[in-house]
Amino acid sequence: MKLTQCTPATIIEPFRIRSVEPIRFTTMEERQKLLSKAGYNPFLLKAGDVLIDLLTDSGTGAMSSAQWAGMIASDESYAGSSSFGRFESAVQDITGFRYVIPTHQGRAAENILFSTIAKPGMTIPNNTHFDTTRAHVENNGAEALDLVIDEGMDPEVIHPFKGNMDPAKLRRAIQERGVAAIPVIMLTTTNNSGGGQPVSMQNVREVSAIAGEYGIPFFIDACRFAENSWFIKTREEGYDDKSPIEIAREMFSYADGCTMSAKKDGMSNIGGFLALNDEKLAEKCRSLTILTEGFPTYGGMAGYDMEAVAIGLYEALDEGYLRYRIRSTAYLGEKLADAGISIVQPPGGHAIYIDAKKMLPHIPPLHYPAWSLTNALYLTGGVRAVEIGSVMFGLQPDGSEKAASMELVRLAIPRRVYTQSHVDYLAEAVIHTYRQREKLKGYRMVSAPAVLRHFSAKLEPIT
Ligand SMILES: *Cc1c(COP(=O)(O)O)cnc(C)c1O
């Protein structure tokens, strides 16, 4: 008899650990005090008082030994450093874009792009604008228009590419507003604000074709481009034997440029870039970079940050990594769904979103059910999540309050940080909280700033 290879059902973490960071265990009694002191706002907790921190996947990942080695060997010259050379080559190799402008993070690339091309009266179509993207569009007086397919707005509908833009809605918007009023069409891959849902290659092609037809530049918000490539590989016909890097290259080939936060699929703790093909536009953007970021061969990053990103971009495209990354997010989603918890389906790339409106029908939206669940997760299990509901979106410009369309709790998974046993623990903590859901109470606002109130508001439980 011949020996056969083990083809395991278990997908293991594709790394071993040789530097560890202790996490602190606290009791529920201690967490009661800590949360009360933080005004019942998890943003105001000290990170050291959190056991499993799922506030964001942005800049919270673990770097590899190769990245650290690259950082040690960095070139910190002000102009023309070899670290910039390596960074530029990596971005050009993966995206195919000619001009690469480094920035300190994604929103700085957005600031430079939109300050240069967006004017009052203009409209930027996107599948769904991420909040900083929307803020930069609006800060320049333009309209941020979301044109995601209808399926993308329903948490329960299963669709392989819920991040797709609706081409018919896009055509209508161009006809209504006129070509001159649309300086760029954007696609966010994956669609962060829509639950980390992917965009298909076919949709990228369609949107690119429409943009081309009207002569409008087409840019990609590429923060999670590698995760999006994996979804294309595993869900779209004709891509299963292509590598993630080939898929990424094809996706970028349909676009004229991209903005990127290296804190996501750059596998780095900081960094970003704007990359594009138009020489004149690149020149204008570079001038603004000097004003707001730094000299165009470092743009707000240290040489060692550029090294970390140059290496990280390739690591994010590694098949073993992506298989583990997407599978471990889905694994958490399946555990919660199997226990009866409603989540945004299907699980996206970087996070699981719990439907708190479904879980806590006894808490009215303006008593903040998603906020209540977020706090309960901290109290019961030391887990920090983030509310995406009426505390984040309910405050209107005139000071009144309106319930958000959804009450979600996002569990964002940092890259390469937590193991399967952490995720098992996490699922147990969430399910344990779910089983006591009738005991959860609403919250009321005690004090809040006028904008972006969720970051610093103080609340109290309604007893
Ligand atoms: C994070 C993010 C940004 C902004 O990047 P920062 O590095 O946080 O400034 C823009 N778009 C999307 C889709 C993002 O996820």
Side-chain angles (χ1 to χ4, degrees), residues 398-410:
D398 66 0
S400 67
E401 265 199 313
K402 196 176 128 216
S405 59
M406 292 197 264
E407 298 292 337
L408 302 177
V409 172
R410 185 183 75 180

Side-chain angles (χ1 to χ4, degrees), residues 7-38:
T7 45
T10 310
I11 294 170
I12 63 168
E13 286 83 9
F15 48 80
R16 51 185 183 175
I17 299 165
R18 63 177 188 138
S19 172
V20 297
E21 181 187 355
I23 49 179
R24 191 165 90 85
F25 291 87
T26 48
T27 63
M28 182 153 159
E29 208 185 347
E30 289 170 315
R31 293 193 291 271
Q32 275 287 7
K33 288 198 189 111
L34 292 163
L35 190 60
S36 156
K37 226 178 97 197

Side-chain angles (χ1 to χ4, degrees), residues 58 105-107 110 130 132-133 188 192 221 223-224 261 263-264:
S58 176
Q105 61 184 88
R107 68 197 67 184
E110 294 170 346
F130 180 65
T132 62
T133 322
T188 307
N192 185 359
D221 178 339
C223 299
R224 295 180 183 77
S261 168
K263 300 172 75 172
K264 285 53 171 274

Side-chain angles (χ1 to χ4, degrees), residues 64 91 96 143 165 170 263 279 289 328 361 410 417 426 430:
S64 66
V91 175
E143 175 198 21
M165 183 184 277
L170 176 61
K263 300 172 75 172
E279 189 180 354
T289 306
S328 54
R410 185 183 75 180
V417 169
L426 178 65
V430 177

Side-chain angles (χ1 to χ4, degrees), residues 43 50 52-61 130 192 195-196 224 227 263-264 325 328-329 332-333 336 348-354 374 377 383-388 408-418 422-423 426 430:
F43 278 102
V50 175
I52 307 272
D53 203 345
L54 307 181
L55 196 64
T56 176
D57 67 319
S58 176
T60 52
F130 180 65
N192 185 359
R224 295 180 183 77
E227 291 174 6
K263 300 172 75 172
K264 285 53 171 274
R325 169 76 176 156
S328 54
T329 304
L332 173 62
L336 302 188
H350 68 290
I352 294 298
Y353 296 71
I354 301 172
T374 303
L377 293 177
V383 173
R384 177 155 67 171
V386 71
E387 185 244 30
I388 301 186
L408 302 177
V409 172
R410 185 183 75 180
L411 307 168
I413 319 289
R415 291 169 181 75
R416 302 190 292 207
V417 169
Y418 295 115
H422 287 119
V423 175
L426 178 65
V430 177

Side-chain angles (χ1 to χ4, degrees), residues 41-290:
N41 184 342
F43 278 102
L44 302 178
L45 289 168
K46 290 201 172 82
D49 295 331
V50 175
L51 187 66
I52 307 272
D53 203 345
L54 307 181
L55 196 64
T56 176
D57 67 319
S58 176
T60 52
M63 287 205 296
S64 66
S65 48
Q67 283 177 297
W68 284 111
M71 289 174 76
I72 293 285
S74 72
D75 175 358
E76 300 300 334
S77 306
Y78 191 91
S81 72
S82 59
S83 294
F84 174 71
R86 277 184 286 278
F87 172 84
E88 185 185 39
S89 302
V91 175
Q92 286 170 335
D93 177 40
I94 293 167
T95 68
F97 299 129
R98 260 177 300 231
Y99 305 106
V100 180
I101 298 172
T103 60
H104 78 278
Q105 61 184 88
R107 68 197 67 184
E110 294 170 346
N111 181 30
I112 290 167
L113 178 66
F114 294 123
S115 301
T116 309
I117 63 170
K119 306 266 172 328
M122 288 185 168
T123 295
I124 318 287
N126 203 324
N127 42 356
T128 312
H129 285 83
F130 180 65
D131 54 11
T132 62
T133 322
R134 170 174 289 276
H136 279 296
V137 168
E138 292 174 350
N139 196 37
N140 286 289
E143 175 198 21
L145 185 64
D146 292 342
L147 301 176
V148 74
I149 54 170
D150 291 341
E151 290 89 335
M153 292 184 289
D154 186 334
E156 284 170 73
V157 175
I158 304 271
H159 184 289
F161 293 102
K162 277 173 100 169
N164 282 356
M165 183 184 277
D166 187 330
K169 288 185 196 168
L170 176 61
R171 276 186 189 283
R172 215 173 308 132
I174 297 172
Q175 280 152 13
E176 278 169 17
R177 283 151 175 96
V179 174
I182 302 181
V184 68
I185 295 166
M186 302 242 352
L187 257 186
T188 307
T189 63
T190 60
N191 191 20
N192 185 359
S193 305
Q197 299 291 334
V199 177
S200 70
M201 192 70 87
Q202 193 197 333
N203 193 245
V204 175
R205 237 181 267 126
E206 271 180 271
V207 171
S208 168
I210 295 172
E213 196 182 307
Y214 290 98
I216 300 170
F218 167 46
F219 273 56
I220 290 175
D221 178 339
C223 299
R224 295 180 183 77
F225 76 100
E227 291 174 6
N228 201 83
S229 297
W230 185 257
F231 283 117
I232 288 175
K233 181 177 170 66
T234 52
R235 291 184 185 172
E236 191 163 351
E237 219 184 297
Y239 287 94
D240 61 340
D241 57 1
K242 294 224 157 68
S243 67
I245 197 167
E246 288 172 317
I247 295 170
R249 283 182 183 133
E250 181 183 340
M251 180 183 79
F252 287 118
S253 77
Y254 299 121
D256 302 297
C258 73
T259 56
M260 172 73 187
S261 168
K263 300 172 75 172
K264 285 53 171 274
D265 281 351
M267 308 292 266
S268 188
N269 300 125
I270 196 74
F273 56 83
L274 170 64
L276 67 170
N277 282 334
D278 182 326
E279 189 180 354
K280 283 216 177 79
L281 181 58
E283 219 173 275
K284 281 190 201 162
C285 290
R286 244 186 249 115
S287 304
L288 192 57
T289 306
I290 297 178

